[in-house]
Amino acid sequence: MNQSLFNHTETSKIEFPLAVKVVMIDLDGTLLNTAEDLALAANLMLKDLGMPEQSASTIRSYIGKGIQRLVKRTLTSQLDGEPDAALFAKALPIYEKHYANNLSVNTRPYPGVLEGIKAMQQAGFKLACITNKAEAFTLPLLRSTGLYDSFEIVLSGDSLPRKKPDPLPLTHICQHFNAQPQEALLIGDSLNDAIAARAAGCHVFCVPYGYNEGRNVHDLDCDTIVESLIDASKLIKKLS
């Protein structure tokens, strides 16, 4: 195996390629580069509210905990800030309107995504998309970027009672495919993904190009870091 494809801790006892049945893939920051359109909607919201706009790089650092948290962070300029309740109640529907109208202005799959998915399909893996984004945004985005038919099941942030970092979406997918957690892999870009996978008992790969709220992806508890989905496909084999 090409050692340059992955970078895992010396204490890891994982052998590559991993034998799994199911591959679950995160959306924002893993499959799709959505940051510019998320920032566009945020600045349109701020403009409507009479507040100063923020840089795309600043708003990018707010991505990772869903749209409600993104709106709160944009309003307060703090990762854990809580805005005035009335302001938030006014701002959220404004943001959702602007995002719905600008879902795929700039959003595109990351390099290696289409090739990686094709390789995984050809190898016979069951594929699922798991995101914290609301279904009203998730499904149109997957369709507009040509990814919708790649997945047998798509779980959005409002599909189940709990979302990542809770393990429920991952265990739900495992049950759907009649797989044990250790027979499943989650590919993501954030702390949410790493926590959810560890809690569920699944394997987890992380990509370095995503959002992770501005934090270093190398600090995450993951099995390995892969440069792309095509690289990830080279580190797994179909469990017979």
Side-chain angles (χ1 to χ4, degrees):
M1 182 57 62
N2 183 348
Q3 292 292 318
S4 67
L5 289 180
F6 59 94
N7 171 28
H8 58 93
T9 62
E10 293 181 2
T11 57
S12 173
K13 295 191 173 18
I14 293 171
E15 294 185 6
F16 295 93
L18 278 178
V20 295
K21 292 180 181 178
V22 178
V23 180
M24 305 171 281
I25 311 176
D26 172 58
L27 186 68
D28 295 75
T30 305
L31 286 171
L32 298 178
N33 186 356
T34 55
E36 283 191 55
D37 291 334
L38 288 165
L40 172 61
N43 277 323
L44 288 171
M45 174 195 74
L46 290 171
K47 184 178 179 181
D48 285 356
L49 294 171
M51 298 174 67
E53 295 186 10
Q54 300 181 28
S55 70
S57 61
T58 296
I59 296 172
R60 177 190 172 100
S61 72
Y62 298 157
I63 300 171
K65 289 284 196 303
I67 280 177
Q68 290 197 15
R69 178 53 60 185
L70 173 62
V71 170
K72 288 183 177 182
R73 289 169 170 175
T74 303
L75 293 174
T76 63
S77 299
Q78 297 175 341
L79 284 181
D80 297 315
E82 282 294 329
D84 174 78
L87 175 62
F88 175 68
K90 180 181 179 182
L92 183 60
I94 294 174
Y95 182 91
E96 290 174 337
K97 177 193 71 174
H98 285 306
Y99 189 48
N101 291 335
N102 296 280
L103 266 179
S104 50
V105 175
N106 304 291
T107 293
R108 301 290 184 274
Y110 284 101
V113 164
L114 299 179
E115 300 90 336
I117 287 176
K118 183 177 180 180
M120 292 176 197
Q121 289 174 322
Q122 291 175 339
F125 294 103
K126 298 291 188 180
L127 299 184
C129 178
I130 297 185
T131 176
N132 281 355
K133 189 184 290 291
E135 185 178 276
F137 304 127
T138 299
L139 300 186
L141 258 182
L142 288 173
R143 291 189 178 104
S144 68
T145 52
L147 293 175
Y148 181 76
D149 292 333
S150 301
F151 302 103
E152 184 171 323
I153 183 171
V154 175
L155 282 187
S156 302
D158 49 0
S159 298
L160 298 172
R162 298 184 300 281
K163 57 189 177 183
K164 298 179 297 182
D166 193 279
L168 177 63
L170 284 70
T171 56
H172 181 92
I173 293 294
C174 291
Q175 291 166 3
H176 174 84
F177 288 120
N178 194 29
Q180 296 300 311
Q182 65 270 22
E183 299 172 339
L185 165 70
L186 174 64
I187 305 175
D189 70 313
S190 72
L191 182 62
N192 261 2
D193 297 311
I195 292 174
R198 290 298 183 230
C202 301
H203 296 287
V204 57
F205 292 176
C206 290
V207 296
Y209 53 72
Y211 307 134
N212 196 31
E213 303 170 90
R215 300 186 180 101
N216 190 335
V217 70
H218 290 269
D219 294 334
L220 296 178
D221 176 19
C222 58
D223 297 327
T224 189
I225 293 174
V226 289
E227 295 299 319
S228 69
L229 260 62
I230 190 67
D231 285 351
S233 73
K234 298 173 183 177
L235 292 179
I236 55 177
K237 63 182 180 180
K238 182 70 163 57
L239 184 65
S240 56

